[in-house]
Amino acid sequence: MDLQTRFTRHAGVPYPIVCGAMFPCSNPELVAAVSEAGGLGIVQPLSLTYVHGYDFRKGLRFIRSLTSKPVGLNATIESSSRAYRERIQSWIEIALEEGIRFFDTALGNPAWVVQKVHPFGGVVYHKVTERKWALKAVDAGVDGLIAINDRAGGHAGHLSHQRLLDVLEDTGLPLVCGGGIGDEQDFFRALQSGYDAVLMATRFIASVECTAHEDYKKAIIRATEDDIVLTERVTGVPLSVIRTPHVESVGLRAGPLARWMLTHRRLKRIMRMIYALRSIRRLKRSSMSGALSSQDYYQAGKSVAKIRTIESVRSIIERLVSVALVPSGGEPIRAE
């Protein structure tokens, strides 16, 4: 199988593998390791600055000191506040100045990101969960779509990877399969079915280079598909996490006041901001102490069913691409 796709040409990388942006797990060493091994590491700005404590520009330069290969930037562009919008704009401008040319957007209308990035020769891929959002992104001029399916971790979609492919294929844009990729067979099938790349997150948490707590990594390798549940208690909207005693004790539904605020057109932004601030405070305490609280949530997708080891990023990527590089009737070729 030829691993050169429309995505690899856009991103400038040899392999159609993206390490999805993760809050809080996208530490600089992980982002750099994925890019150095031939995939595309994506910087998550809040993780870089609030969780891992870097000035944004200095953090990008630290990543660049670890790899000279392309990296991308994630931008959640929902306009929850003017201050946040200004900060996102500043991050994108700094990223462009520091040589980043691949941008992964989520929520909101990505048109202004496209207008800012295209003059620099950059590309924008927008995350979508269904056709109506994809068509809006196409109208905004994006270069590709990241199709988040019902097996993804974090904020998952509600359609299967095949159904998403069926309803998005006629957009004519490169499509990235987001969710459910846990091993080389999943990777191979996604590319064979017509996707231009895969986005993986849970698999890369269980890696040597990820600085997530060992308890988090062990929870991933012990978990089965049935252990993945949706909770509203973290962000106010369903989030895929691993079932733990804490998750079971607090329940999966947001409280009555939070649910009411989340249905209100104006108040929902305030409630989401409250959730976000709680998460940041909890994660900063955890990162400073070097330990996790029993009240932490382990975000993960259903790919946990295929993840049974903690490995280096290079080992994970080499094994993924080895299957795709098998000649007909031949033995697997290890990626160089």
Side-chain angles (χ1 to χ4, degrees), residues 34-62:
V34 173
S35 290
E36 187 65 18
L40 183 70
I42 302 287
V43 176
Q44 210 287 339
L46 288 174
S47 286
L48 184 65
T49 57
Y50 286 96
V51 178
H52 299 290
Y54 288 87
D55 167 80
F56 184 68
R57 189 186 297 273
K58 290 180 180 178
L60 295 185
R61 291 182 177 179
F62 175 58

Side-chain angles (χ1 to χ4, degrees), residues 14-91:
Y15 305 136
I17 298 169
V18 184
C19 178
M22 296 176 281
F23 180 81
C25 296
S26 291
N27 58 287
E29 297 82 0
L30 174 61
V31 173
V34 173
S35 290
E36 187 65 18
L40 183 70
I42 302 287
V43 176
Q44 210 287 339
L46 288 174
S47 286
L48 184 65
T49 57
Y50 286 96
V51 178
H52 299 290
Y54 288 87
D55 167 80
F56 184 68
R57 189 186 297 273
K58 290 180 180 178
L60 295 185
R61 291 182 177 179
F62 175 58
I63 292 170
R64 181 56 63 225
S65 76
L66 301 175
T67 182
S68 61
K69 297 179 180 177
V71 297
L73 180 75
N74 166 256
T76 299
I77 55 175
E78 182 185 34
S79 300
S80 55
S81 70
R82 181 177 177 180
Y84 178 76
R85 171 72 177 262
E86 290 174 351
R87 179 161 294 183
I88 285 289
Q89 289 177 328
S90 173
W91 282 335

Side-chain angles (χ1 to χ4, degrees), residues 116-136:
K116 188 176 287 288
V117 165
H118 276 183
F120 290 84
V123 296
V124 178
Y125 277 49
H126 192 64
K127 287 189 175 80
V128 299
T129 56
E130 55 185 289
R131 182 175 174 81
K132 68 177 181 178
W133 305 124
L135 295 180
K136 289 181 182 294

Side-chain angles (χ1 to χ4, degrees), residues 255-268:
L257 177 60
R259 278 203 305 276
W260 175 76
M261 290 181 69
L262 288 166
T263 60
H264 194 283
R265 187 170 62 88
R266 293 181 180 176
L267 294 179
K268 68 180 179 181

Side-chain angles (χ1 to χ4, degrees), residues 23-25 46 50-52 155 213 216 231-236 239-242 244 246-247 250 272-300:
F23 180 81
C25 296
L46 288 174
Y50 286 96
V51 178
H52 299 290
H155 293 113
H213 196 279
Y216 193 169
T231 179
E232 299 173 353
R233 305 285 295 194
V234 181
T235 64
L239 187 78
S240 295
V241 300
I242 299 174
T244 64
H246 173 66
V247 170
V250 300
R272 287 178 181 174
M273 185 68 70
I274 292 171
Y275 276 122
L277 290 172
R278 284 178 181 171
S279 295
I280 289 170
R281 284 198 297 269
R282 187 181 70 248
L283 290 164
K284 289 192 79 170
R285 285 197 300 269
S286 296
S287 62
M288 288 173 64
S289 67
L292 290 181
S293 161
S294 62
Q295 297 184 14
D296 279 308
Y297 288 86
Y298 299 146
Q299 295 184 48

